[in-house]
Every structure is written in C-alpha cells, then in structure tokens.
Amino acid sequence: MQTLMSPGPLLDDRGHLVETGWAPSEIRKYRRSAITAPKFRIKEWDYYCVLTADYGIALTVADNGYMGLLGVSWLDFRTPHEITENVMLPFPMGRLGLPESADDGDVVVSKGKARFEFRHVDGGRHLIVDYPAFDGGRGLHADLFLASPVDDRMVIATPFPKASRSFYYNQKINCLPAAGTVRIGSDDFTFRSEDSFGVLDWGRGVWTYDNTWYWGSASGLVNGERFGFNIGYGFGDTRAASENIVFVGGRAHKLDRIDFDIPQGTYDGASWNFSSNDGRFEMTFEPIIDRAATFDVGVLRSIQHQVFGKFSGTVILDDGTSVVVRDLLGFAEEVRNRW
C-alpha cells in the first residue's frame, strides 16, 4: 500500500501526524512550533551529497537537540580514500534556525572559522562552505550551484509505533545538476552540470531513542536522461508508504518494498544486493569507499557505514518499461543510532 498524502499541516494541535504516507512534492507543512515533544528530542538536518565519477563532497548541517553538527566529507574515488571532519555544536536546541521548508529559507551557520551557507537563489541552491581547519589545516572552500528543476521528489511522513509524538518528515530531492569548484589546499576540483549531480536529504522530526536504518541513493545519467533513485527502510512504521522511488527525467515511479542484502563481516569487501518484493528493482552494488564512523559517549551512540560505489541492474517503471542500469555512482548505508 502506498498512501498519497493530501495538502495541509503536518501536525495537529497535539503534535501528532495528521496524515501518514508519501507525496511527490512538499504538500504537508512542517512547523517546529507545533511539536509537543521536548526540544532536546527534535532532530533537524540538511544533507547534500554531490558526486562526479572521480570525486565528491557531502555537507551536513544538523540540529539534533542536545547535539549539533557541521560536517564535511571529501571523497576521492580514484585513490580511493575519504576525509570526514565535523564541528560539534553543544545543545543547539533550535538555535540554528533551520528552515521549515526544503524550498524556502536559508541555512547559515558559523562555528569558529568554519562557515556553512545553503542558500536559495534563482533556479537552484547555492552551497558555500569555508572550513580552514580541514585536512590538517590545508583548508577547504566549496562553492557549488545545484540547479533545481521542477521535478518530483520523495516526501514521506512516517510515524513511530507506540510513540505518538514521534515522527519523521523527510524529503529526498535527487538528480540536481551541480556546477562549481571545491578547493582543498592549493588543489581545485571542478564540478560540471553535465556529469555532476547532487541529492538533498532534508529531515525534520522527533525520533525514538534506538533506531537502525538502511538508505541508498544514486543520481546520474542513464540513456542520456537524468535518472536516480531513493531506497530505504527500518526507520519508523512505513506501512502507509515506503521510501522507495525511482526518478526518470524528473518524474517519480513509486516502488513498494526493497531489501538490502549486505555481505556478512564486511561492508566494502564484497558486493551488496538489492531486491524488491514485486521484482521492479533488482540491483547489485560494488563498493568503492566505506565512510565508516563511530560516535560513542555513554547514552549517545552512532555506528555508521555509508558506502559509496556503483549500482548495476534493472528497474521497471510504472508503465512497464525496463531500464538497464550500469555502474551508476551512488551510496548505500547502514546506520545504528542511540540518541
């Protein structure tokens, strides 16, 4: 079952989801002031990942109540290697002022000499990051423009069983053509819109304490057309709608259930497999980089394996068309959180 949401506010006057399900646009309106859970339980973040065939960058601004984060990951698929560095922000509790819409409002946050700007401009999104301490003081400066065509996206409102004030409101916006430069030290890396694509993961909500989720995403060109997908499960009650969706030329093709088959004992030493319950999404994944991270301080713990690599397989669209995918760059992850 895939319930299509109708327009309106996201939460009622008790702080509960008015409706659960999915939509191809932001039709349910999030208001932080409507949340009735404690401030320290509120989670808000904007995450961008922009990839080329040779390298990529991931940028995070997160306000997770009692912990905030400014994060940068630089990914080199040729070597391969990755550098991830974070600036931690104690108890932001909403002070970062993250926007209540993925389509309006800017993110501007500074901590020390690190500064992150995610701005809306005509035709797209302008990402500017200055991080002088990155990579042992080499420094990183990113200046990227992500065009934002009027495309379908994955928007989902997910409840948590037995926690009526908890919810997950998430948007995944794939296939954003990206142009600009990233400078690390004295080295410049160019992103061109014809072969560089980004995804925005925009999340707002109140989570339960102990969660494990699986997420995969890819954006690029297949048969000369913009093609991407979002897949995942494990986070909340997704009976009303799954997170699984394919985008072709800006149009969404909704999928049902997809399982992640991760090889035992390794995340990047063997192929992953993905299979849907209706046979519409059958994919293998060849890992290149495991961006692994562990954060463990008493009651707060996060174990992350975000693995970048190449997807190959077959997708069946709504009209029955079969699309063959070969070596599409993206990522898949397993994340276990207690926070």
Side-chain angles (χ1 to χ4, degrees), residues 241-280:
S242 76
E243 301 178 26
N244 303 315
I245 195 166
V246 172
F247 304 99
V248 181
R251 182 184 166 220
H253 299 258
K254 193 70 181 65
L255 304 175
D256 193 24
R257 306 292 157 180
I258 295 175
D259 287 327
F260 287 39
D261 182 8
I262 303 173
Q264 292 292 321
T266 181
Y267 287 91
D268 60 353
S271 300
W272 297 30
N273 291 287
F274 305 86
S275 183
S276 63
N277 60 344
D278 55 10
R280 291 183 58 190

mmCIF file of all heavy atoms in Angstrom, residues 241-280:
data_model
loop_
_atom_site.group_PDB
_atom_site.id
_atom_site.type_symbol
_atom_site.label_atom_id
_atom_site.label_comp_id
_atom_site.label_asym_id
_atom_site.label_seq_id
_atom_site.Cartn_x
_atom_site.Cartn_y
_atom_site.Cartn_z
ATOM 1 N N ALA A 241 3.521 4.006 3.462
ATOM 2 C CA ALA A 241 4.315 4.284 2.254
ATOM 3 C C ALA A 241 5.763 3.959 2.533
ATOM 4 O O ALA A 241 6.269 4.194 3.630
ATOM 5 C CB ALA A 241 4.179 5.747 1.842
ATOM 6 N N SER A 242 6.426 3.429 1.526
ATOM 7 C CA SER A 242 7.860 3.184 1.623
ATOM 8 C C SER A 242 8.634 4.418 1.155
ATOM 9 O O SER A 242 8.062 5.357 0.590
ATOM 10 C CB SER A 242 8.249 1.986 0.749
ATOM 11 O OG SER A 242 8.266 2.360 -0.625
ATOM 12 N N GLU A 243 9.953 4.387 1.376
ATOM 13 C CA GLU A 243 10.826 5.439 0.878
ATOM 14 C C GLU A 243 11.334 5.146 -0.530
ATOM 15 O O GLU A 243 12.129 5.921 -1.074
ATOM 16 C CB GLU A 243 12.025 5.609 1.818
ATOM 17 C CG GLU A 243 11.661 5.957 3.248
ATOM 18 C CD GLU A 243 12.889 6.075 4.143
ATOM 19 O OE1 GLU A 243 13.973 6.382 3.618
ATOM 20 O OE2 GLU A 243 12.752 5.844 5.347
ATOM 21 N N ASN A 244 10.892 4.051 -1.121
ATOM 22 C CA ASN A 244 11.492 3.566 -2.361
ATOM 23 C C ASN A 244 10.847 4.207 -3.582
ATOM 24 O O ASN A 244 9.621 4.159 -3.759
ATOM 25 C CB ASN A 244 11.355 2.050 -2.424
ATOM 26 C CG ASN A 244 11.992 1.376 -1.218
ATOM 27 O OD1 ASN A 244 13.094 1.728 -0.819
ATOM 28 N ND2 ASN A 244 11.282 0.432 -0.620
ATOM 29 N N ILE A 245 11.694 4.785 -4.431
ATOM 30 C CA ILE A 245 11.193 5.553 -5.555
ATOM 31 C C ILE A 245 12.295 5.692 -6.598
ATOM 32 O O ILE A 245 13.480 5.736 -6.259
ATOM 33 C CB ILE A 245 10.706 6.941 -5.064
ATOM 34 C CG1 ILE A 245 9.849 7.654 -6.094
ATOM 35 C CG2 ILE A 245 11.874 7.798 -4.612
ATOM 36 C CD1 ILE A 245 9.090 8.837 -5.507
ATOM 37 N N VAL A 246 11.901 5.749 -7.857
ATOM 38 C CA VAL A 246 12.826 5.943 -8.970
ATOM 39 C C VAL A 246 12.416 7.208 -9.712
ATOM 40 O O VAL A 246 11.213 7.485 -9.864
ATOM 41 C CB VAL A 246 12.807 4.734 -9.932
ATOM 42 C CG1 VAL A 246 13.622 5.020 -11.192
ATOM 43 C CG2 VAL A 246 13.337 3.494 -9.238
ATOM 44 N N PHE A 247 13.409 7.979 -10.153
ATOM 45 C CA PHE A 247 13.152 9.206 -10.906
ATOM 46 C C PHE A 247 13.757 9.083 -12.304
ATOM 47 O O PHE A 247 14.940 8.768 -12.443
ATOM 48 C CB PHE A 247 13.764 10.412 -10.196
ATOM 49 C CG PHE A 247 13.293 10.591 -8.777
ATOM 50 C CD1 PHE A 247 14.076 10.150 -7.714
ATOM 51 C CD2 PHE A 247 12.079 11.191 -8.500
ATOM 52 C CE1 PHE A 247 13.651 10.315 -6.406
ATOM 53 C CE2 PHE A 247 11.644 11.354 -7.190
ATOM 54 C CZ PHE A 247 12.434 10.912 -6.144
ATOM 55 N N VAL A 248 12.952 9.365 -13.316
ATOM 56 C CA VAL A 248 13.424 9.380 -14.698
ATOM 57 C C VAL A 248 12.953 10.682 -15.337
ATOM 58 O O VAL A 248 11.738 10.925 -15.432
ATOM 59 C CB VAL A 248 12.907 8.175 -15.503
ATOM 60 C CG1 VAL A 248 13.442 8.227 -16.929
ATOM 61 C CG2 VAL A 248 13.310 6.869 -14.841
ATOM 62 N N GLY A 249 13.908 11.523 -15.737
ATOM 63 C CA GLY A 249 13.554 12.792 -16.349
ATOM 64 C C GLY A 249 12.684 13.669 -15.487
ATOM 65 O O GLY A 249 11.859 14.441 -15.982
ATOM 66 N N GLY A 250 12.838 13.558 -14.169
ATOM 67 C CA GLY A 250 12.072 14.383 -13.242
ATOM 68 C C GLY A 250 10.756 13.797 -12.792
ATOM 69 O O GLY A 250 10.086 14.378 -11.935
ATOM 70 N N ARG A 251 10.376 12.639 -13.324
ATOM 71 C CA ARG A 251 9.106 12.024 -12.949
ATOM 72 C C ARG A 251 9.340 10.857 -12.002
ATOM 73 O O ARG A 251 10.254 10.047 -12.207
ATOM 74 C CB ARG A 251 8.368 11.531 -14.189
ATOM 75 C CG ARG A 251 7.001 10.923 -13.838
ATOM 76 C CD ARG A 251 6.294 10.353 -15.036
ATOM 77 N NE ARG A 251 5.165 9.511 -14.592
ATOM 78 C CZ ARG A 251 4.827 8.375 -15.150
ATOM 79 N NH1 ARG A 251 5.507 7.893 -16.172
ATOM 80 N NH2 ARG A 251 3.796 7.686 -14.698
ATOM 81 N N ALA A 252 8.474 10.760 -10.975
ATOM 82 C CA ALA A 252 8.602 9.712 -9.965
ATOM 83 C C ALA A 252 7.884 8.441 -10.390
ATOM 84 O O ALA A 252 6.789 8.486 -10.959
ATOM 85 C CB ALA A 252 8.028 10.195 -8.638
ATOM 86 N N HIS A 253 8.514 7.315 -10.071
ATOM 87 C CA HIS A 253 7.925 5.993 -10.237
ATOM 88 C C HIS A 253 8.025 5.310 -8.876
ATOM 89 O O HIS A 253 9.111 4.908 -8.451
ATOM 90 C CB HIS A 253 8.676 5.195 -11.309
ATOM 91 C CG HIS A 253 8.643 5.842 -12.660
ATOM 92 N ND1 HIS A 253 7.809 5.419 -13.673
ATOM 93 C CD2 HIS A 253 9.336 6.904 -13.154
ATOM 94 C CE1 HIS A 253 7.999 6.180 -14.746
ATOM 95 N NE2 HIS A 253 8.919 7.087 -14.454
ATOM 96 N N LYS A 254 6.886 5.168 -8.197
ATOM 97 C CA LYS A 254 6.886 4.708 -6.809
ATOM 98 C C LYS A 254 7.051 3.199 -6.735
ATOM 99 O O LYS A 254 6.425 2.449 -7.500
ATOM 100 C CB LYS A 254 5.596 5.135 -6.121
ATOM 101 C CG LYS A 254 5.640 4.986 -4.613
ATOM 102 C CD LYS A 254 6.577 6.016 -3.984
ATOM 103 C CE LYS A 254 6.639 5.869 -2.476
ATOM 104 N NZ LYS A 254 7.237 4.593 -2.050
ATOM 105 N N LEU A 255 7.880 2.753 -5.801
ATOM 106 C CA LEU A 255 8.144 1.343 -5.580
ATOM 107 C C LEU A 255 7.630 0.924 -4.206
ATOM 108 O O LEU A 255 7.420 1.759 -3.322
ATOM 109 C CB LEU A 255 9.638 1.052 -5.681
ATOM 110 C CG LEU A 255 10.325 1.473 -6.990
ATOM 111 C CD1 LEU A 255 11.827 1.230 -6.888
ATOM 112 C CD2 LEU A 255 9.727 0.729 -8.171
ATOM 113 N N ASP A 256 7.483 -0.368 -4.009
ATOM 114 C CA ASP A 256 6.976 -0.903 -2.746
ATOM 115 C C ASP A 256 8.143 -1.225 -1.808
ATOM 116 O O ASP A 256 8.870 -0.327 -1.382
ATOM 117 C CB ASP A 256 6.094 -2.122 -3.006
ATOM 118 C CG ASP A 256 5.278 -2.534 -1.783
ATOM 119 O OD1 ASP A 256 5.037 -1.685 -0.911
ATOM 120 O OD2 ASP A 256 4.880 -3.712 -1.708
ATOM 121 N N ARG A 257 8.428 -2.476 -1.523
ATOM 122 C CA ARG A 257 9.431 -2.868 -0.534
ATOM 123 C C ARG A 257 10.722 -3.323 -1.222
ATOM 124 O O ARG A 257 10.676 -4.029 -2.238
ATOM 125 C CB ARG A 257 8.903 -4.001 0.341
ATOM 126 C CG ARG A 257 7.574 -3.680 0.997
ATOM 127 C CD ARG A 257 7.673 -2.580 2.037
ATOM 128 N NE ARG A 257 6.384 -1.935 2.249
ATOM 129 C CZ ARG A 257 6.181 -0.939 3.107
ATOM 130 N NH1 ARG A 257 7.188 -0.494 3.836
ATOM 131 N NH2 ARG A 257 4.997 -0.380 3.238
ATOM 132 N N ILE A 258 11.841 -2.917 -0.649
ATOM 133 C CA ILE A 258 13.149 -3.333 -1.145
ATOM 134 C C ILE A 258 13.995 -3.780 0.035
ATOM 135 O O ILE A 258 14.069 -3.083 1.056
ATOM 136 C CB ILE A 258 13.862 -2.188 -1.902
ATOM 137 C CG1 ILE A 258 13.077 -1.833 -3.180
ATOM 138 C CG2 ILE A 258 15.301 -2.568 -2.240
ATOM 139 C CD1 ILE A 258 13.628 -0.636 -3.925
ATOM 140 N N ASP A 259 14.642 -4.928 -0.098
ATOM 141 C CA ASP A 259 15.531 -5.451 0.939
ATOM 142 C C ASP A 259 16.990 -5.210 0.568
ATOM 143 O O ASP A 259 17.376 -5.345 -0.597
ATOM 144 C CB ASP A 259 15.311 -6.951 1.122
ATOM 145 C CG ASP A 259 13.999 -7.259 1.829
ATOM 146 O OD1 ASP A 259 13.589 -6.443 2.680
ATOM 147 O OD2 ASP A 259 13.395 -8.299 1.532
ATOM 148 N N PHE A 260 17.797 -4.867 1.586
ATOM 149 C CA PHE A 260 19.240 -4.733 1.442
ATOM 150 C C PHE A 260 19.881 -6.045 1.884
ATOM 151 O O PHE A 260 19.674 -6.470 3.023
ATOM 152 C CB PHE A 260 19.787 -3.612 2.331
ATOM 153 C CG PHE A 260 19.486 -2.209 1.881
ATOM 154 C CD1 PHE A 260 18.255 -1.868 1.333
ATOM 155 C CD2 PHE A 260 20.435 -1.212 2.034
ATOM 156 C CE1 PHE A 260 17.970 -0.570 0.949
ATOM 157 C CE2 PHE A 260 20.168 0.090 1.645
ATOM 158 C CZ PHE A 260 18.932 0.425 1.106
ATOM 159 N N ASP A 261 20.647 -6.654 1.016
ATOM 160 C CA ASP A 261 21.408 -7.857 1.359
ATOM 161 C C ASP A 261 22.875 -7.456 1.460
ATOM 162 O O ASP A 261 23.579 -7.327 0.460
ATOM 163 C CB ASP A 261 21.199 -8.931 0.294
ATOM 164 C CG ASP A 261 21.937 -10.227 0.618
ATOM 165 O OD1 ASP A 261 22.485 -10.340 1.732
ATOM 166 O OD2 ASP A 261 21.981 -11.110 -0.254
ATOM 167 N N ILE A 262 23.339 -7.228 2.694
ATOM 168 C CA ILE A 262 24.706 -6.760 2.952
ATOM 169 C C ILE A 262 25.573 -7.961 3.298
ATOM 170 O O ILE A 262 25.199 -8.779 4.140
ATOM 171 C CB ILE A 262 24.713 -5.743 4.113
ATOM 172 C CG1 ILE A 262 23.777 -4.566 3.791
ATOM 173 C CG2 ILE A 262 26.124 -5.232 4.387
ATOM 174 C CD1 ILE A 262 23.595 -3.595 4.937
ATOM 175 N N PRO A 263 26.749 -8.108 2.683
ATOM 176 C CA PRO A 263 27.593 -9.280 2.949
ATOM 177 C C PRO A 263 28.011 -9.340 4.414
ATOM 178 O O PRO A 263 28.318 -8.320 5.034
ATOM 179 C CB PRO A 263 28.791 -9.083 2.028
ATOM 180 C CG PRO A 263 28.799 -7.626 1.698
ATOM 181 C CD PRO A 263 27.363 -7.199 1.691
ATOM 182 N N GLN A 264 28.014 -10.528 4.967
ATOM 183 C CA GLN A 264 28.378 -10.716 6.365
ATOM 184 C C GLN A 264 29.859 -10.416 6.591
ATOM 185 O O GLN A 264 30.717 -10.816 5.809
ATOM 186 C CB GLN A 264 28.090 -12.159 6.786
ATOM 187 C CG GLN A 264 26.611 -12.503 6.827
ATOM 188 C CD GLN A 264 25.886 -11.762 7.937
ATOM 189 O OE1 GLN A 264 26.416 -11.593 9.040
ATOM 190 N NE2 GLN A 264 24.676 -11.311 7.648
ATOM 191 N N GLY A 265 30.144 -9.670 7.659
ATOM 192 C CA GLY A 265 31.521 -9.457 8.078
ATOM 193 C C GLY A 265 32.271 -8.361 7.362
ATOM 194 O O GLY A 265 33.425 -8.090 7.686
ATOM 195 N N THR A 266 31.637 -7.704 6.386
ATOM 196 C CA THR A 266 32.312 -6.631 5.677
ATOM 197 C C THR A 266 31.280 -5.702 5.072
ATOM 198 O O THR A 266 30.145 -6.100 4.797
ATOM 199 C CB THR A 266 33.223 -7.177 4.566
ATOM 200 O OG1 THR A 266 33.882 -6.084 3.914
ATOM 201 C CG2 THR A 266 32.420 -7.954 3.532
ATOM 202 N N TYR A 267 31.674 -4.452 4.888
ATOM 203 C CA TYR A 267 30.813 -3.503 4.191
ATOM 204 C C TYR A 267 31.360 -3.141 2.818
ATOM 205 O O TYR A 267 30.592 -2.738 1.936
ATOM 206 C CB TYR A 267 30.642 -2.230 5.030
ATOM 207 C CG TYR A 267 29.757 -2.435 6.236
ATOM 208 C CD1 TYR A 267 30.304 -2.816 7.460
ATOM 209 C CD2 TYR A 267 28.384 -2.280 6.154
ATOM 210 C CE1 TYR A 267 29.502 -3.021 8.569
ATOM 211 C CE2 TYR A 267 27.565 -2.484 7.256
ATOM 212 C CZ TYR A 267 28.132 -2.850 8.460
ATOM 213 O OH TYR A 267 27.334 -3.064 9.558
ATOM 214 N N ASP A 268 32.668 -3.279 2.626
ATOM 215 C CA ASP A 268 33.267 -2.869 1.352
ATOM 216 C C ASP A 268 34.130 -3.949 0.712
ATOM 217 O O ASP A 268 34.844 -3.680 -0.257
ATOM 218 C CB ASP A 268 34.095 -1.598 1.529
ATOM 219 C CG ASP A 268 35.231 -1.759 2.526
ATOM 220 O OD1 ASP A 268 35.319 -2.815 3.187
ATOM 221 O OD2 ASP A 268 36.048 -0.816 2.636
ATOM 222 N N GLY A 269 34.027 -5.189 1.205
ATOM 223 C CA GLY A 269 34.853 -6.251 0.652
ATOM 224 C C GLY A 269 34.131 -7.203 -0.271
ATOM 225 O O GLY A 269 34.733 -8.134 -0.806
ATOM 226 N N ALA A 270 32.823 -6.971 -0.477
ATOM 227 C CA ALA A 270 32.039 -7.836 -1.356
ATOM 228 C C ALA A 270 30.823 -7.053 -1.834
ATOM 229 O O ALA A 270 30.463 -6.008 -1.266
ATOM 230 C CB ALA A 270 31.599 -9.099 -0.620
ATOM 231 N N SER A 271 30.194 -7.554 -2.870
ATOM 232 C CA SER A 271 29.034 -6.886 -3.458
ATOM 233 C C SER A 271 27.827 -6.923 -2.523
ATOM 234 O O SER A 271 27.628 -7.881 -1.775
ATOM 235 C CB SER A 271 28.655 -7.550 -4.781
ATOM 236 O OG SER A 271 29.704 -7.485 -5.708
ATOM 237 N N TRP A 272 27.006 -5.869 -2.575
ATOM 238 C CA TRP A 272 25.704 -5.844 -1.942
ATOM 239 C C TRP A 272 24.656 -6.209 -3.003
ATOM 240 O O TRP A 272 24.897 -6.051 -4.205
ATOM 241 C CB TRP A 272 25.366 -4.457 -1.409
ATOM 242 C CG TRP A 272 26.257 -3.914 -0.338
ATOM 243 C CD1 TRP A 272 27.589 -4.176 -0.135
ATOM 244 C CD2 TRP A 272 25.899 -2.961 0.658
ATOM 245 N NE1 TRP A 272 28.070 -3.451 0.928
ATOM 246 C CE2 TRP A 272 27.049 -2.689 1.429
ATOM 247 C CE3 TRP A 272 24.719 -2.295 0.970
ATOM 248 C CZ2 TRP A 272 27.050 -1.797 2.493
ATOM 249 C CZ3 TRP A 272 24.703 -1.393 2.020
ATOM 250 C CH2 TRP A 272 25.862 -1.156 2.789
ATOM 251 N N ASN A 273 23.482 -6.634 -2.521
ATOM 252 C CA ASN A 273 22.380 -6.923 -3.430
ATOM 253 C C ASN A 273 21.103 -6.285 -2.907
ATOM 254 O O ASN A 273 20.880 -6.219 -1.686
ATOM 255 C CB ASN A 273 22.183 -8.434 -3.582
ATOM 256 C CG ASN A 273 23.319 -9.092 -4.339
ATOM 257 O OD1 ASN A 273 23.447 -8.939 -5.547
ATOM 258 N ND2 ASN A 273 24.161 -9.827 -3.618
ATOM 259 N N PHE A 274 20.279 -5.817 -3.844
ATOM 260 C CA PHE A 274 19.012 -5.178 -3.504
ATOM 261 C C PHE A 274 17.915 -5.827 -4.326
ATOM 262 O O PHE A 274 18.068 -6.013 -5.540
ATOM 263 C CB PHE A 274 19.066 -3.676 -3.808
ATOM 264 C CG PHE A 274 20.202 -2.971 -3.139
ATOM 265 C CD1 PHE A 274 21.456 -2.929 -3.730
ATOM 266 C CD2 PHE A 274 20.039 -2.359 -1.911
ATOM 267 C CE1 PHE A 274 22.515 -2.292 -3.121
ATOM 268 C CE2 PHE A 274 21.094 -1.714 -1.283
ATOM 269 C CZ PHE A 274 22.337 -1.686 -1.896
ATOM 270 N N SER A 275 16.802 -6.146 -3.667
ATOM 271 C CA SER A 275 15.730 -6.845 -4.362
ATOM 272 C C SER A 275 14.386 -6.368 -3.833
ATOM 273 O O SER A 275 14.197 -6.223 -2.621
ATOM 274 C CB SER A 275 15.860 -8.357 -4.150
ATOM 275 O OG SER A 275 14.872 -9.058 -4.866
ATOM 276 N N SER A 276 13.448 -6.126 -4.752
ATOM 277 C CA SER A 276 12.119 -5.662 -4.360
ATOM 278 C C SER A 276 11.139 -6.818 -4.300
ATOM 279 O O SER A 276 11.329 -7.859 -4.938
ATOM 280 C CB SER A 276 11.618 -4.606 -5.352
ATOM 281 O OG SER A 276 11.479 -5.160 -6.641
ATOM 282 N N ASN A 277 10.070 -6.629 -3.536
ATOM 283 C CA ASN A 277 9.074 -7.681 -3.371
ATOM 284 C C ASN A 277 8.263 -7.920 -4.642
ATOM 285 O O ASN A 277 7.637 -8.967 -4.792
ATOM 286 C CB ASN A 277 8.134 -7.355 -2.205
ATOM 287 C CG ASN A 277 7.373 -6.059 -2.408
ATOM 288 O OD1 ASN A 277 7.723 -5.241 -3.256
ATOM 289 N ND2 ASN A 277 6.332 -5.856 -1.615
ATOM 290 N N ASP A 278 8.262 -6.957 -5.573
ATOM 291 C CA ASP A 278 7.491 -7.103 -6.805
ATOM 292 C C ASP A 278 8.374 -7.252 -8.043
ATOM 293 O O ASP A 278 7.883 -7.222 -9.175
ATOM 294 C CB ASP A 278 6.536 -5.924 -6.983
ATOM 295 C CG ASP A 278 7.249 -4.571 -6.941
ATOM 296 O OD1 ASP A 278 8.497 -4.560 -6.966
ATOM 297 O OD2 ASP A 278 6.564 -3.539 -6.885
ATOM 298 N N GLY A 279 9.688 -7.390 -7.842
ATOM 299 C CA GLY A 279 10.597 -7.593 -8.953
ATOM 300 C C GLY A 279 10.902 -6.362 -9.776
ATOM 301 O O GLY A 279 11.560 -6.456 -10.828
ATOM 302 N N ARG A 280 10.501 -5.179 -9.298
ATOM 303 C CA ARG A 280 10.702 -3.958 -10.090
ATOM 304 C C ARG A 280 12.057 -3.298 -9.858
ATOM 305 O O ARG A 280 12.427 -2.391 -10.610
ATOM 306 C CB ARG A 280 9.590 -2.943 -9.798
ATOM 307 C CG ARG A 280 8.224 -3.366 -10.329
ATOM 308 C CD ARG A 280 7.193 -2.288 -10.081
ATOM 309 N NE ARG A 280 7.594 -1.020 -10.705
ATOM 310 C CZ ARG A 280 6.968 0.137 -10.469
ATOM 311 N NH1 ARG A 280 5.934 0.184 -9.624
ATOM 312 N NH2 ARG A 280 7.370 1.242 -11.067
#
